[in-house]
Amino acid sequence: RKESSAASDVYKRQGMFCFSGLRPEEVDALREQYHLYLTRDGRISMASVNPGNVRHVAQAITEVMATRADEGV
């Protein structure tokens, strides 16, 4: 299975924060459409992801990254 670079970045990080590999416009889309708040460089607080919101976070990131795939990036 080949992972996207953003997904592999998440898997490589440890600790409270990780860099998602998301572009600034993708971070903006997460904020505006899904009410997820990351820094514009794609840093996310993994401590804020919990059993109650992990599905929402994963679906939002998947949908935003699907736009990237549709653009052929």
Side-chain angles (χ1 to χ4, degrees):
R1 173 182 97 152
K2 184 169 172 34
E3 298 168 351
S4 71
S5 63
S8 64
D9 282 349
V10 170
Y11 296 134
K12 286 191 274 184
R13 306 291 181 207
Q14 293 182 343
M16 191 178 301
F17 295 95
C18 72
F19 285 95
S20 64
L22 294 169
R23 300 179 296 188
E25 57 271 19
E26 293 168 328
V27 171
D28 293 343
L30 286 172
R31 181 180 307 111
E32 294 165 12
Q33 298 171 22
Y34 302 98
H35 306 285
L36 296 179
Y37 300 93
L38 292 72
T39 59
R40 282 206 85 226
D41 64 0
R43 188 171 57 130
I44 185 170
S45 169
M46 295 310 293
S48 66
V49 179
N50 61 60
N53 66 16
V54 68
R55 185 179 305 270
H56 173 71
V57 172
Q59 288 176 337
I61 292 171
T62 299
E63 290 177 26
V64 166
M65 289 184 70
T67 302
R68 180 191 299 192
D70 292 343
E71 295 170 356
V73 178

